[in-house]
Amino acid sequence: MPKIEVSIAVNKDKKDIFELIKHLEHFPIFVKDIKNIKVVERYPNRIITDWEANIDGARVIWREEDRFDNFNSTMYFTMLKGDFKGYKGKWVIAKHKKISKIYLLVDFDWGIPIFERFVGDILLRKARVYLKGMLKAIKKKIENEKLVNLLVLFIH
């Protein structure tokens, strides 16, 4: 399975970042390629969501389960069904000197071995650009807004 790891430094407390990431349904507001995220089920430490994204003009949909480890500021995710065979991974928010760092690690399974052999590198590059774009949008969102504004977003 192809693996991607991307990260970004963020000038904000890791708890604030983790709270933003746990509210996936707000991502379409500030991540341009994510068109819709609908919460299907929400539990105290787990959420099921339906996603719709636009990746280079292609509509991609999937359902995923996310599990929250609040103590370690880590979120584990697994695709339950969607337009490709599967993926899984985790978000890790870590304190790094005077800043925080967001790590996003993803294992993809496109589901068609012969397809992966011929266009796998292209798919990985596109996935990496998409994931880095998501991290940049999160960084911009959380660094440019006051915590009060973020809390108002979560209440609505």
Side-chain angles (χ1 to χ4, degrees):
M1 252 194 301
K3 298 175 190 290
I4 297 176
E5 180 178 334
V6 293
S7 64
I8 196 165
V10 180
N11 190 19
K12 204 62 141 173
D13 183 74
K14 76 179 199 171
K15 288 183 180 183
D16 295 339
I17 298 167
F18 194 58
E19 282 305 311
L20 176 67
I21 289 170
K22 285 174 27 178
H23 291 273
L24 301 165
E25 67 273 20
H26 297 296
F27 280 22
I29 296 168
F30 57 91
V31 180
K32 72 173 184 140
D33 293 329
I34 299 176
K35 300 306 174 195
N36 189 36
I37 298 177
K38 178 185 173 197
V39 175
V40 178
E41 299 174 39
R42 185 183 301 272
Y43 305 96
N45 291 314
R46 185 171 70 95
I47 189 171
I48 308 283
T49 49
D50 285 339
W51 291 60
E52 178 183 348
N54 184 328
I55 302 174
D56 282 349
R59 179 177 176 249
V60 182
I61 59 171
W62 68 92
R63 175 171 284 180
E64 76 178 44
E65 175 184 42
D66 300 277
R67 292 175 291 115
F68 310 122
D69 176 350
N70 295 306
F71 183 76
N72 293 305
S73 299
T74 302
M75 182 171 72
Y76 301 91
F77 56 87
T78 304
M79 188 180 97
L80 301 175
K81 64 180 180 177
D83 286 342
F84 47 98
K85 188 171 181 183
Y87 73 87
K88 63 182 178 177
K90 63 183 176 179
W91 296 81
V92 179
I93 317 304
K95 190 72 176 159
H96 185 73
K97 297 183 183 178
K98 293 184 178 184
I99 60 169
S100 298
K101 200 156 185 185
I102 305 172
Y103 297 91
L104 179 55
L105 303 94
V106 186
D107 295 339
F108 286 97
D109 185 350
W110 308 119
I112 308 169
I114 191 78
F115 182 68
E116 287 181 36
R117 189 166 36 147
F118 292 107
V119 296
D121 288 341
I122 294 168
L123 290 173
L124 276 177
R125 280 196 303 274
K126 288 186 180 299
R128 184 178 306 283
V129 167
Y130 173 78
L131 295 173
K132 281 181 126 347
M134 190 163 46
L135 289 183
K136 288 177 184 176
I138 290 167
K139 174 184 173 78
K140 182 178 177 183
K141 175 74 172 166
I142 200 154
E143 285 184 348
N144 291 337
E145 289 198 12
K146 303 266 186 240
L147 181 58
V148 173
N149 292 339
L150 289 174
L151 293 175
V152 167
L153 178 69
F154 295 144
I155 292 169
H156 293 271

